[in-house]
Amino acid sequence: MGLPLGVQTEGTHIAFAAGTGILPFIDLVAHLLLVLVSGNGTAVNSGAGPDLLEGSANKVNPDAFKLVLYTSFLDEDEAVGLELINALQELCQKLNKPIFEHHSRFSKARATAQASPRWDQAFFDAKIQEGVKTGAKKIWICGPPVA
């Protein structure tokens, strides 16, 4: 998987990505999609199709892995990889495979919505502390610093 994130095959992994800070995690999102559509007993094909990740040292266990992804973008038009992220979220829901959870915020809201609150130090402190308490294997923050 692209940038060596040190992803473990099992456990909860939490990522906070703002703007282009999502880029190191796009490979992981794509990997999770491949896990779900691959054969070898995984969700979609249930062994009927080829295992697209056969031999991959980084293949996660779809029954024991979860990525919790927090993204922050200016707006939906400026979001990088949002279609891929949304596809993974929809597939997880459709297949009842809770390997991915996505929380998004947008600085500029559409006319029908209100802008999401800005992430601040208290937000990060609370989410990181929650992750540590629940035994997260990895926690990453990538993007602009809190000003």
Side-chain angles (χ1 to χ4, degrees):
M1 268 181 276
L3 185 68
L5 295 171
V7 174
Q8 298 184 23
T9 59
E10 297 183 348
T12 300
H13 295 62
I14 303 170
F16 300 89
T20 57
I22 189 64
L23 294 175
F25 307 104
I26 292 296
D27 280 355
L28 179 54
V29 170
H31 177 83
L32 295 178
L33 273 166
L34 286 174
V35 165
L36 292 179
V37 301
S38 193
N40 195 22
T42 51
V44 174
N45 293 325
S46 298
D51 184 354
L52 301 173
L53 296 168
E54 186 174 359
S56 172
N58 299 318
K59 183 177 178 182
V60 301
N61 179 347
D63 296 318
F65 181 90
K66 182 171 191 172
L67 173 63
V68 180
L69 178 62
Y70 292 86
T71 58
S72 178
F73 298 107
L74 180 63
D75 56 34
E76 288 187 40
D77 294 332
E78 297 292 323
V80 177
L82 191 57
E83 295 85 5
L84 194 64
I85 292 166
N86 288 340
L88 176 58
Q89 186 170 355
E90 290 171 21
L91 188 58
C92 286
Q93 290 171 350
K94 180 180 178 182
L95 299 172
N96 196 27
K97 279 290 204 183
I99 67 169
F100 181 67
E101 182 180 311
H102 180 228
H103 304 274
S104 60
R105 73 166 293 281
F106 298 100
S107 300
K108 286 174 48 179
R110 293 182 176 197
T112 59
Q114 185 178 14
S116 303
R118 182 168 172 80
W119 293 346
D120 58 13
Q121 192 63 47
F123 171 83
F124 286 112
D125 289 345
K127 295 298 178 184
I128 291 170
Q129 194 171 50
E130 181 182 310
V132 169
K133 282 183 183 176
T134 59
K137 300 286 185 183
K138 294 279 182 175
I139 301 174
W140 304 280
I141 300 177
C142 191
V146 176

